[in-house]
Amino acid sequence: MDDAPRAAEASAPAARGTERLFDAASPGASKSPLVVVDDLHVSFERGGQQVNALRGVSFELQPGEILGLVGESGSGKSVLALTLLGLLPERPRPVITGSALVSGTDMVTANREQARLVRKQHLGAVFQDPMTSLNPTMRIGKQVIEAAGSTQEAVRLLDAVGLPDPASRLRSYPHELSGGLRQRVMIAMAVADSPALVIADEPTTALDVTVQAQILELLGTLRDELGTSFILVTHDLGVAAQVADRIAVLYGGRLAEVGPSADLFGAPLHPYATGLLRSRLVLRTDRSRPIVTLPGEPPDPRNHPPGCPFSPRCEHHSGECDVALPPLETVTATGEIAPSPAGSAMHQVACVRLGRFSTGHAAAIDERAEPWGPVASASRGRNPAVLVHGVHKRFTIGTGLRKKHLLALRGVDLSLNEGEAIALVGESGCGKSTLLRSIAGLQMVDEGEIEFGKGGRPQMVFQDAGASLTPWLTVGEQIGERLRSEGLRRQPRDARVLEALTLVGLPAEVAKARPAQLSGGQRQRVALARATVVPPEVLLCDEPTSALDVSLAATVLNLIGRLRRELGVAILFVTHDLAAARMVGDRIAVMYLGRIVEIGDADELCSAPIHPYTKALLDTVPEVGRVHVRLKGEPANPIDPPNGCAFHPRCPSAEPTCATSPVSLDPVEGASGRRVACPIALRLRTPITGDLNTAGVMSARDDSGRR
Amino acid sequence: MAVAEAFIPSAPRRGTARIGGARRIVGRASIAERVGFALLAVLVLAAIFAPLIAPYNPITPSGLPFTSPLHGGHLMGTDEVGFDIFSRVLYGLRTSLVGAVLVVTSGVIIGGLIGLVAGVAGGWVDTVLMRFTDLFLALPGPVLAIAFVAALGPSGFHTLLAVAIVWWPFYARIMRGEIRALAARPHLEAATLAGAGPFRRAFRHLLPGATSAIVVTASLDVGNLVLTLAGLSFLGLGAPAPAPELGAMAARGLQYLLQEWWVPVMPAIVVFLLTLASNLSGDGLNATMSDS
Amino acid sequence: MIKFVVKRLLSMVVILLMLTAIVFLLQKLSHINPAHAYLGANASQAAVNRETHILGYDRPFIAQYFHYVSGLLRGNLEVSLRTRHPVSTDIVAFLPATVELAVSGLFLAMVLGAVFGLISAARFRGAGAFRMLLMSFASAPVFLLSLLGILVLSGNLHWLPGTGDTSYTNAPTGPTGIIVIDGLVHGQFAVAWDGVWHLILPALVVALGPAVSIGRVLRGSLEASMLSDFARTARAKGLKERTVVLHHALRNSVSAALSMTGLQVGLMFAGVVVVETIFAWPGIGLYVDQSIPQADFPAIAGVTLVLGVGYVIINAIVDILQAVVDPRVALV
C-alpha cells in the first residue's frame, strides 16, 4: 500500500497540498473486532426447494482491515454481504440462525429500525452494477447529499473519490456519467459519514480492466485515509489479492480457507483454493498444455452433499470427507493444525485430509496435463482464412439534430491464416466485437473488404451462451439446424448431433433438454457443439468465458483449444483479458478505439509490449508483489475519438505531436510480424527487461513444443 | 480431457414458461383466482347451453310485465314487456362472450401479424407500420368506435367490426415489442449463422417466445372488451331491440330503476360477473405464466 | 427537454390530422348526404344536386378533405340533423358540463389511483380483500355503478342527488358554463356547493375503473422499484423505508402510472358518455346519446372530434409530465 496516497493526490486538485482528506481514524487502535460472524446459517425456499445459501460461517474482521471474500456463483458470498447489511430480500423469507455482529449490533436479530441505524451510522455499501444501483431519476448531487448530509460534504467526498469537477457534476443524472465515474459516486456515498465498514459486492466486475485497477486502488487509499474496514466480495482471487489484507474463500456456503492474502494467493492449502488459483490465468501460465481445471461444476445450493461440499470435485477426497462437514481449523506455517487460534493473522482451513496430500501450489505448471498436440496438419497453412482490409464501421445514434456517429472501426487490417488463432484484446468501445460481428456477416461494413478463404460462412460463439440458444427449442434441434441445409434425413442428423455433443463432452441426454435445464458451462458447450457440428474454417469467439465462473472458464478455454487442434479450425477470439488471450492466441492484436494498436506473436507481445496501451493492459493482470502502474482516465468515447493517436489523452509517454499527427500500424524492426501504432515507442524501444521476463523465458521453451 | 458433467435436469427458469395443463394453472392460482376460473367456467357453460337452460323464449313475452324476481317462475323477474329477464340474460351473456372473444381474436391475429412483420423486418418496414399503429393508439379507441358504428348504422356486426378496427393496434405494439426484445437476443443471430432462413427465424426462433405475453394480455383484455361492448350496446349501438343484449337491456330499463330496479340491474350484474370472472382468470393466468 | 416538447407538439398536429381524416372518411361512409340533410327530406333532386355543388361535395376527394379541414379550422362542424343548430353552437352549450365532469373524474382517478397503488403495495392484514374489492370496482360496468349509486346513495339514503348538475333552475349562466365556477364567480356559494354535491356521484363512478387500473400499474412498478438495485442502495445508506418509497421508488414508478392514465382517458370518455346519459348530465355525452337514435352523424362527428382533441391534448401533457419526472424519457 506504499503507493496508495499517490492516487489521491492525482485525483485531488493540486491546491490541496498535504491536507488530509478525512479525519483519519487510526487503524488498529482498537483491538475489539468490528465484525463478528458466528455460525451463520441462511436458507430460503425457492421454487419449492430449500436453498441453503450459508451453512455455518464464522469469521472476525478487525477495524481498518480489508477482507477479500472470494467465491464462485452459488458460494453464498452475496448472501453473506447482504446479511451483514441487513438487506436480505424479504421474499422469499430467509431463515437465519447464528449471529452477525456489526459494531456490536447483531444484524440477525436486529429489528428493521436497529438495522437501519447500523447502516446509517456504521456501514456503507458498493454494489456491482453502478448503472442500476444509482437512482436514474435523481441527480447525483441529491443522491450523495442523502448520505453526506450537506452539499459541501458531498462535493468534498466526490472530489476525494476522484470525480473530476465535482461541483458541476452534482447536477448530472447517472446516465450522463461513465461506468467508472458512476462507481466512484457509489463509493463516495458508501464512505460518507466515515463508516466503520464498507461492504463492496463485486464493485469492479462491470468495469473495464484499466478502470477496475483504479477503483481497487481507490478502495485501498480510502482505507488508509479513513481507517475504514472493507469487505470486498469478488469471484476473482486476483482482485482480492490486490487490495485485501486477508482473504476468505467461500465454497458451498462454508468457509474453505481463511488467511493472509500473501499466504492464500501464494500458497493456498485447501484443494479448492489451490484449484481456483491454478485455473486463474496469469502471464506465466504454461501455454503448451491445457490449463489445469477443477472438474465438475460449482455446487448446487439446493442439493449439498452431507460432508465437505468440495468433495465431489476434489482430487484428494476419500471416504472420511463425506462423513461430516469439515470444521475450519487453524494451521501453522508448517501446515500443521495448531491447537489455538492466534489473532487475525491466523490461517484457517476446512479440510479433514489436510497434511495427507502435498499442498504445494506447484506454480502454474502441472506435469499431469498432456501437452497440446499439433494443430490438425492439413489445415495449417499460409493461406488466409479471413482477410480484413481497411474496414470502417460507424453506427448512427439518435435522429435529427441530435444525430451522432459512433466510430466503431476506423480502418482495421487483419489476416487470419488457416488453422491459426488470433486473440483480439481491448476494453469496451474498442470495436473488437464489432469487428467479429462484421466478419460473421451479422452486419455490413461501411468501407473496406472482408474476404474469406475457401471455407464457407464462419461460425460464432457468444459471450452469453444462454442467450445465444433459443429457450424453447431443444438442444438437439438447435444443433441439428445447421445440418438442415445439408439435406440430411432425421436419423443421420441425430447421429451427427450426438457426435458433436460427445466431442464437447456432453452426454446424449442433453440433446432432448432445453437450454434452461442446463448449467452455464453446459450451455457454452452446447454453443460450441452447434458451431462445430459442421466444422467451419473459422470459429469466432466473442468473450465466451467472461460470464463464467473461473473454474468453468478454464474448462471452456481448454475445450476451444482442443476443438481447434482436432478440427483444424482457425480461431478469432475476442477478450478483455490479456492472460486469456495469451492462452488461446498464436498471435494477439490489441485494439483501442476502433484501431489495432499492436499485433504480434502472443508470447513476444506479452513479454515485451511496445505500445504504451499494451503495457498498461498487461499491468492490469494481477500478480502478487508487482508494483502496478495505473492508467489514468477511461477509454474515450468512440462517438468523438481524440485526434491523432486516440490513446494520447491517457498515455503516460505522450508527446505534443501525438495529438495531431495520425499514426499508422508500422512493422517493428527485428521482430517479424510485429506491428505497432506508436512512432514514439518504436523510437525509444529498448531491450526487454523488467518483471515480466519470466514469461519470455518460459514462452521460448513452449514454442519448441508447439511448432 | 473434457469431463462429461453429470446432466442434472432442473426446473425450467423464467422466460421458458409454456402453457401447461389447466390443472397446473389452477393449482398455482390464489383462492380469488380459482373462484374466477370457476365462475368463468359456469358462465361459459351457461352461454354455450343457453337454449337448453333458458326457461322461456327471450323475445316473446312470457309473463306479466314487471314481475319481480323469484315470482311466477321468473328467476330474475320480467321486464316492461313481460320478457323473462333470466332467459334474455342468458342469451345476452352469449352475445357478450362471443363478441369479446371474436374481437380479442381478431386483434391478436391482425395486430399480432403486423407486429410480427414489423418486429422481424425492422428498418423502414418497422418504422412505417409502427408509425401507423401509433397514430391509431394516439386516438381514443372507444370514442372512435362510437363514431364508426354511428356512421355504419347500429347493428351487432357493425359494433364488433368497429371495436375490432380500433382494438388491433394495441396487440401490434405488444407483439412488436416482444419480437424486438427477442430479436435483440443473440439467439437470433446464432440462428442466422446456423443457416435458418427468415421464415424459420420468425416462426421457430421468435414467435414462440412472444406467445405467452400475448396470451396473457389477451386474457386480461377480455374483461375490457366485455365492458366496452356493453357500453356501446347501452348507447344503442348494438343489435336493435328486442335482441337480448345486456347493455341495451340495462339502458332500456333505466327509466324503471327506482320502482322496478331489477329490470336494469339484473343484466348489469351479469356484465359485472362476466368481467370479474375474466379479470380474475386473466390475473391467474398471468401469475402462473410469469413466475414459473 | 425543450426539443422534446416541440417534437411532441409537432406529433400532436399529425395525430389530429389523422383524427380529422378518420372522421371525414366516416362521414363519407355514413350514407348521409349532407346536402339532402341540409335541405330536408322533401327537397327535390335538382335542389339537392344544386346544393351538393354549392357545398362542394362533387369535388375530388382530396379537395373535399381540404375543404373539410379548413372548415374545421374556422369552427364549422356542419349542422345537426336533429337540433337544426350548427353543431359547434350545440357543443359550446354542452361542453362545459362535460369538461367539469371529465376533469374532476380524471383528477379523482389519479388521486384514487395513487391511494390504491400505495395501499395495495403495502402489505397489511386484509390486503387480499382490499384487492378483491378494487378488482370488483374495475370489473363493474359504469352503468351498474351508476345504477347502484343512484339506487342506494340517492334513492334510498338521499345522501346525494341523482340527476343533473344543479338543483337551481335560475343558476347563473356564464362565464364558463361550469356551474361550480360560475356559482363562485357570481358569489352564489349555495349554487357552487350544490354543484359540487351533484358532481360527486357521477365523477366517482367515472373515476373508479380508471383509478383501479392506474393503481394496479402503480403498485406493480412500485413493487419492482422497491426490489431494484437503487432501492437497495438507498436502504444501504440507512434511509428510512418511508424515504425509500417516497423519494426513490415513487418517482421511478410514476412514469408507468402516467402512461396508464393517458390510456385510461379514452375508456373514461366512453364512460362519461354513459354516465351523462344515466345522470341526465347536460354535457356532450348526453347530446351524442340523443343524436345516436336519430342517426345525427354531424353531431356525432363533432363530439368525436372534440373528445379526440381532448384525448390527444391530455396525452401530450402526460408525455411531457413523464419527461419531467424521468429525465431519460426525453432522450428517446
Side-chain angles (χ1 to χ4, degrees):
Chain A
M1 292 303 135
D2 300 332
D3 57 334
R6 202 156 31 87
E9 275 170 26
S11 60
R16 170 154 307 158
T18 55
E19 178 200 346
R20 292 281 279 197
L21 295 176
F22 300 93
D23 310 324
S26 45
S30 149
K31 271 296 142 197
S32 66
L34 177 66
V35 176
V36 184
V37 174
D38 188 33
D39 197 28
L40 188 65
H41 291 251
V42 176
S43 64
F44 42 87
E45 210 182 278
R46 185 187 290 153
Q49 279 175 300
Q50 177 94 353
V51 177
N52 296 304
L54 291 178
R55 304 187 297 148
V57 170
S58 308
F59 69 92
E60 291 183 358
L61 182 75
Q62 301 302 325
E65 191 181 19
I66 299 184
L67 175 71
L69 200 57
V70 180
E72 294 180 275
S73 58
S75 65
K77 59 186 191 299
S78 289
V79 171
L80 179 53
L82 290 177
T83 310
L84 289 173
L85 284 165
L87 286 178
L88 275 178
E90 287 178 20
R91 280 199 292 189
R93 182 167 289 282
V95 178
I96 316 175
T97 61
S99 64
L101 289 163
V102 176
S103 296
T105 309
D106 186 355
M107 297 303 275
V108 173
T109 54
N111 62 29
R112 275 190 185 188
E113 185 60 13
Q114 288 165 332
R116 182 182 76 79
L117 286 174
V118 173
R119 286 197 294 274
K120 188 163 183 59
Q121 290 158 5
H122 304 294
L123 284 174
V126 182
F127 298 112
Q128 175 170 349
D129 188 345
M131 181 72 236
T132 58
S133 294
L134 290 169
N135 185 342
T137 60
M138 198 187 270
R139 293 181 200 277
I140 298 293
K142 200 171 168 203
Q143 298 192 51
V144 180
I145 291 166
E146 271 187 340
S150 69
T151 311
Q152 203 190 353
E153 177 68 6
V155 172
R156 197 179 69 91
L157 285 165
L158 289 173
D159 189 28
V161 297
L163 193 79
D165 194 11
S168 66
R169 286 289 189 191
L170 291 179
R171 292 193 54 77
S172 300
Y173 284 101
H175 65 257
E176 294 164 350
L177 265 56
S178 70
L181 293 187
R182 279 185 219 131
Q183 200 58 299
R184 285 175 195 270
V185 172
M186 278 295 289
I187 292 170
M189 298 193 307
V191 297
D193 253 2
S194 299
L197 170 66
V198 170
I199 294 172
D201 190 355
E202 302 266 14
T204 61
T205 309
L207 304 176
D208 272 320
V209 281
T210 55
V211 183
Q212 165 173 330
Q214 297 165 6
I215 296 291
L216 287 177
E217 184 163 25
L218 175 62
L219 296 186
T221 310
L222 289 170
R223 189 271 301 270
D224 295 348
E225 296 278 334
L226 283 161
T228 303
S229 298
F230 282 88
I231 292 182
L232 176 65
V233 179
T234 172
H235 66 281
D236 187 347
L237 205 49
V239 163
Q242 280 185 72
V243 288
D245 305 312
R246 271 198 310 152
I247 291 177
V249 178
L250 266 175
Y251 190 85
R254 307 265 303 168
L255 284 172
E257 184 165 357
V258 184
S261 287
D263 288 7
L264 231 155
F265 198 63
L269 298 174
H270 194 283
Y272 171 63
T274 313
L276 202 57
L277 195 57
R278 272 208 211 113
S279 42
R280 261 199 92 248
L281 301 174
V282 288
L283 295 169
R284 289 191 309 263
T285 311
D286 185 0
R287 299 180 54 210
S288 66
R289 60 188 83 231
I291 310 154
V292 181
T293 57
L294 286 168
E297 302 229 354
D300 180 359
R302 290 168 302 192
N303 188 17
H304 286 298
C308 171
F310 186 62
S311 155
R313 300 173 77 183
C314 183
E315 54 181 338
H316 304 298
H317 82 101
S318 73
E320 58 190 313
C321 297
D322 300 327
V323 176
L325 287 170
L328 196 61
E329 286 178 297
T330 307
V331 292
T332 61
T334 53
E336 283 155 19
I337 293 167
S340 63
S344 70
M346 66 190 176
H347 194 153
Q348 296 170 298
V349 179
C351 177
V352 289
R353 286 183 50 80
L354 194 67
R356 275 177 279 171
F357 53 87
S358 71
T359 50
H361 171 37
I365 307 168
D366 194 309
E367 297 300 339
R368 282 165 307 171
E370 287 292 313
W372 288 118
V375 170
S377 53
S379 57
R380 182 82 203 217
R382 282 284 133 200
N383 298 324
V386 182
L387 200 59
V388 177
H389 185 67
V391 162
H392 288 253
K393 174 73 189 175
R394 65 179 193 183
F395 296 100
T396 307
I397 294 171
T399 51
L401 294 173
R402 237 198 291 264
K403 190 139 99 185
K404 283 174 185 160
H405 294 296
L406 186 154
L407 305 173
L409 295 175
R410 305 187 296 142
V412 174
D413 296 289
L414 186 68
S415 153
L416 176 69
N417 289 334
E418 289 171 353
E420 189 192 20
I422 294 183
L424 279 174
V425 186
E427 295 177 277
S428 61
C430 76
K432 56 189 192 298
S433 290
T434 306
L435 179 58
L436 208 62
R437 294 164 48 78
S438 301
I439 294 172
L442 294 173
Q443 65 200 13
M444 310 300 278
V445 296
D446 297 327
E447 231 178 274
E449 273 147 39
I450 297 174
E451 291 166 37
F452 295 99
K454 58 184 187 305
R457 194 168 208 177
Q459 286 297 309
M460 181 159 165
V461 288
F462 296 80
Q463 175 171 8
D464 184 349
S468 78
L469 297 169
T470 308
W472 48 88
L473 297 181
T474 63
V475 165
E477 187 171 351
Q478 301 194 53
I479 297 175
E481 198 158 41
R482 288 196 59 214
L483 300 165
R484 294 172 70 89
S485 52
E486 305 210 333
L488 279 181
R489 296 173 69 87
R490 192 177 175 87
Q491 235 163 2
R493 221 159 67 194
D494 287 351
R496 291 278 295 276
V497 167
L498 201 62
E499 235 173 82
L501 283 174
T502 315
L503 190 64
V504 298
L506 287 174
E509 304 94 280
V510 170
K512 292 190 205 74
R514 297 211 163 77
Q517 294 165 290
L518 305 176
S519 69
Q522 286 174 323
R523 286 181 212 158
Q524 198 54 278
R525 282 166 194 266
V526 169
L528 280 165
R530 172 167 61 184
T532 55
V533 62
V534 181
E537 194 181 6
V538 179
L539 177 61
L540 309 167
C541 306
D542 191 4
E543 305 224 32
T545 58
S546 64
L548 298 176
D549 275 319
V550 185
S551 61
L552 292 178
T555 316
V556 171
L557 286 184
N558 283 345
L559 179 57
I560 291 172
R562 190 164 60 82
L563 288 173
R564 169 192 172 200
R565 286 165 175 91
E566 287 180 12
L567 303 173
V569 296
I571 303 255
L572 198 54
F573 185 91
V574 158
T575 176
H576 63 272
D577 178 2
L578 253 174
R582 183 179 155 275
M583 290 307 290
V584 175
D586 301 323
R587 284 192 289 157
I588 291 177
V590 179
M591 289 187 76
Y592 192 78
L593 282 184
R595 288 194 178 131
I596 293 177
V597 295
E598 180 161 7
I599 182 167
D601 177 84
D603 279 320
E604 283 176 25
L605 187 135
C606 289
S607 56
I610 298 173
H611 196 282
Y613 179 62
T614 313
K615 288 181 181 165
L617 272 187
L618 276 166
D619 210 38
T620 60
V621 181
E623 303 253 349
V624 165
R626 190 147 57 91
V627 175
H628 297 279
V629 182
R630 299 285 174 247
L631 202 54
K632 59 182 191 276
E634 296 187 34
N637 194 337
I639 286 174
D640 193 16
N643 284 333
C645 170
F647 184 60
H648 81 264
R650 303 176 75 193
C651 184
S653 45
E655 292 180 6
T657 52
C658 296
T660 50
S661 48
V663 285
S664 56
L665 195 60
D666 294 326
V668 178
E669 231 173 284
S672 73
R674 190 78 174 275
R675 288 173 164 269
V676 176
C678 181
I680 292 163
L682 283 175
R683 201 176 64 223
L684 299 175
R685 196 158 79 96
T686 48
I688 310 146
T689 50
D691 54 333
L692 287 165
N693 57 5
T694 30
V697 172
M698 200 174 293
S699 62
R701 202 192 57 193
D702 300 347
D703 279 358
S704 55
R706 206 159 34 85
R707 295 206 177 125
Chain B
M1 165 60 221
V3 186
E5 289 132 326
F7 168 57
I8 314 158
S10 56
R13 297 181 198 169
R14 187 195 299 275
T16 57
R18 324 204 84 217
I19 306 166
R23 184 183 299 169
R24 209 192 81 203
I25 290 173
V26 174
R28 289 193 193 176
S30 72
I31 295 169
E33 288 154 6
R34 284 183 210 194
V35 170
F37 285 128
L39 185 58
L40 188 65
V42 168
L43 291 172
V44 167
L45 288 177
I48 291 173
F49 297 109
L52 300 178
I53 303 169
Y56 300 98
N57 185 325
I59 48 172
T60 34
S62 57
L64 291 171
F66 299 130
T67 312
S68 49
L70 301 175
H71 286 82
H74 298 287
L75 193 60
M76 293 184 179
T78 61
D79 63 7
E80 71 275 17
V81 185
F83 294 148
D84 176 54
I85 295 181
F86 179 60
S87 304
R88 286 177 65 76
V89 153
L90 279 176
Y91 279 90
L93 181 65
R94 215 177 192 198
T95 316
S96 278
L97 204 54
V98 169
V101 169
L102 275 180
V103 174
V104 167
T105 311
S106 73
V108 167
I109 292 172
I110 300 169
L113 208 62
I114 288 174
L116 182 66
V117 170
V120 170
W124 66 267
V125 176
D126 181 31
T127 311
V128 168
L129 286 177
M130 282 304 118
R131 281 285 148 83
F132 185 66
T133 307
D134 282 347
L135 278 177
F136 257 96
L137 276 177
L139 295 171
V143 175
L144 281 188
I146 293 175
F148 260 101
V149 187
L152 298 173
S155 85
F157 173 69
H158 285 165
T159 308
L160 292 188
L161 187 69
V163 178
I165 286 172
V166 299
W167 223 259
W168 65 265
F170 178 58
Y171 287 96
R173 258 275 154 232
I174 291 175
M175 178 64 98
R176 190 260 182 192
E178 290 285 317
I179 295 290
R180 292 310 291 174
L182 285 169
R185 277 172 52 103
H187 88 249
L188 190 72
E189 296 189 332
T192 312
L193 287 177
F199 276 92
R200 197 174 156 77
R201 289 207 296 272
F203 288 99
R204 290 297 282 161
H205 291 277
L206 291 175
L207 190 58
T211 45
S212 80
I214 293 284
V215 167
V216 166
T217 310
S219 70
L220 285 168
D221 209 19
V222 170
N224 286 336
L225 271 165
V226 170
L227 287 182
T228 303
L229 290 173
L232 290 178
S233 161
F234 185 92
L235 292 173
L237 293 169
E245 279 195 5
L246 298 173
M249 287 165 70
R252 283 196 292 270
L254 191 58
Q255 47 186 311
Y256 315 112
L257 175 65
L258 292 179
Q259 283 76 40
E260 291 84 21
W261 57 268
W262 61 89
V263 180
V265 169
M266 285 300 175
I269 285 179
V270 173
V271 174
F272 165 65
L273 288 179
L274 182 56
T275 311
L276 185 65
S278 309
N279 286 344
L280 286 175
S281 310
D283 265 9
L285 202 61
N286 187 18
T288 47
M289 290 182 64
S290 58
D291 72 23
S292 50
Chain C
M1 185 67 205
I2 292 166
K3 258 184 211 159
F4 174 79
V5 173
V6 170
K7 230 166 113 180
R8 189 62 189 77
L9 293 179
L10 281 178
S11 80
M12 207 170 100
V13 173
V14 179
I15 295 164
L16 289 177
L17 276 176
M18 171 93 167
L19 175 68
T20 57
I22 290 176
V23 173
F24 174 74
L25 283 176
L26 287 177
Q27 200 148 28
K28 292 278 119 190
L29 273 176
S30 67
H31 308 302
I32 296 164
N33 185 335
H36 212 153
Y38 193 71
L39 294 172
N42 301 328
S44 70
Q45 189 58 44
V48 168
N49 286 346
R50 202 172 52 242
E51 193 62 30
T52 302
H53 184 74
I54 292 168
L55 289 173
Y57 285 104
D58 54 352
R59 280 187 273 172
F61 205 69
I62 298 289
Q64 283 186 48
Y65 175 63
F66 277 112
H67 181 73
Y68 172 73
V69 172
S70 66
L72 288 183
L73 290 175
R74 279 180 274 112
N76 178 10
L77 290 173
E78 324 241 330
V79 175
S80 163
L81 304 181
R82 181 171 63 90
T83 65
R84 296 273 152 192
H85 299 302
V87 171
S88 49
T89 319
D90 285 347
I91 285 180
V92 167
F94 284 107
L95 191 60
T98 298
V99 170
E100 181 182 19
L101 179 58
V103 168
S104 46
L106 183 61
F107 177 73
L108 207 57
M110 288 169 81
V111 172
L112 286 177
V115 172
F116 291 166
L118 285 169
I119 290 180
S120 55
R123 289 185 203 107
F124 58 97
R125 260 153 99 62
F130 180 71
R131 287 231 286 263
M132 191 68 202
L133 183 75
L134 292 187
M135 177 70 103
S136 303
F137 282 144
S139 302
V142 169
F143 52 83
L144 178 65
L145 291 175
S146 308
L147 297 178
L148 293 181
I150 292 173
L151 263 183
V152 177
L153 298 178
S154 164
N156 269 0
L157 299 170
H158 302 287
W159 282 357
L160 292 167
T163 53
D165 61 349
T166 179
S167 352
Y168 291 81
T169 47
N170 58 347
T173 54
T176 60
I178 296 170
I179 293 281
V180 177
I181 295 175
D182 288 349
L184 289 177
V185 168
H186 290 267
Q188 302 180 11
F189 296 108
V191 174
W193 184 242
D194 175 73
V196 171
W197 216 230
H198 274 81
L199 191 56
I200 291 176
L201 193 50
L204 194 65
V205 166
V206 160
L208 267 179
V212 174
S213 296
I214 295 167
R216 279 170 63 149
V217 168
L218 184 62
R219 179 191 114 214
S221 66
L222 259 181
E223 281 178 348
S225 293
M226 292 302 287
L227 292 175
S228 69
D229 286 357
F230 65 80
R232 186 178 60 183
T233 304
R235 292 194 187 99
K237 285 186 214 170
L239 299 181
K240 290 190 177 123
E241 201 59 18
R242 225 177 55 140
T243 316
V244 178
V245 175
L246 297 180
H247 289 193
H248 289 270
L250 195 56
R251 200 179 167 110
N252 280 277
S253 312
V254 162
S255 180
L258 276 174
S259 289
M260 186 37 107
T261 309
L263 281 176
Q264 285 293 320
V265 170
L267 286 171
M268 208 181 89
F269 280 173
V272 163
V273 174
V274 171
V275 166
E276 288 188 0
T277 309
I278 297 177
F279 285 87
W281 189 269
I284 57 174
L286 191 64
Y287 175 67
V288 81
D289 181 62
Q290 289 163 350
S291 306
I292 287 172
Q294 312 266 332
D296 182 0
F297 194 78
I300 296 169
V303 171
T304 306
L305 280 173
V306 168
L307 289 180
V309 169
Y311 181 81
V312 171
I313 290 173
I314 289 174
N315 272 281
I317 294 172
V318 162
D319 282 0
I320 291 167
L321 276 180
Q322 270 180 316
V324 170
V325 172
D326 188 341
R328 289 166 304 174
V329 170
L331 290 179
V332 180

